[in-house]
Amino acid sequence: MDNAALFNVLRDIDRAPNANHALNPKRQVFFAGNAVSNPQRPKGGFLETASSGGAQGAYYDPWGSQYNIVIDSNLDGSLEVSGFYPDFAGPAVPKVEAGGAGVFSLGKDRQLGIGKDHKYKDGTEVSDDILSWFVH
C-alpha cells in the first residue's frame, strides 16, 4: 500500500485523499521533507511528480522503498506488527501511547526481515530493517 495517501494529509497536499483539504481542513503541516533528486529512481525523500519510478507523494527511504507506517488506530496503546515481524507478538508487541505509530524501512536489501548476506562475524543472521516505534 502506498504511503502517499497518509503523507498527502500530513503534509497538507491538495491531492487524494486530501483533495480540497478534506482530511486536513485546518491545513496544518505535520510533516515536512525533501523531494527525491531522481523521480525515475526515487529514494531519500518525497516523490513530488508522477513518474514510472513510483507513487506521487510517497515518502521513500535511502534505498528506494517506501517507508512502512503502522498506526495504533484502535487506541489500545500497542502496535500490531506481528504480520511483519513475528518476534513482536504477545508480550513483545511494541507499546506506544494511545494513537502512537511505528515506522519501518526494509533496509538496503529491500526485503522484510532477514535478507541475504546479513550476518554477524559469528555467522548469526540479522535483518537490516530499520524500526522505530514512537508516540504522538
Side-chain angles (χ1 to χ4, degrees), residues 8-9 13 29 34 54 56 65 67 74 76 90-91 109 117 126:
N8 286 342
V9 176
I13 303 295
V29 175
N34 295 324
Q56 184 179 16
S65 295
Y67 282 102
N74 66 1
D76 70 352
D109 69 1
D117 301 327
V126 62

Side-chain angles (χ1 to χ4, degrees), residues 118-126:
H118 293 285
K119 295 182 180 180
Y120 288 121
K121 290 180 181 179
D122 68 1
T124 305
E125 291 182 330
V126 62

Side-chain angles (χ1 to χ4, degrees), residues 57-102:
Y59 193 38
Y60 288 85
D61 69 16
W63 302 283
S65 295
Q66 289 187 38
Y67 282 102
N68 299 280
I69 300 131
V70 182
I71 299 172
D72 174 25
S73 59
N74 66 1
L75 306 177
D76 70 352
S78 64
L79 297 176
E80 178 49 57
V81 295
S82 62
F84 308 106
Y85 298 101
D87 50 334
F88 285 112
V93 69
K95 299 295 182 193
V96 295
E97 191 173 312

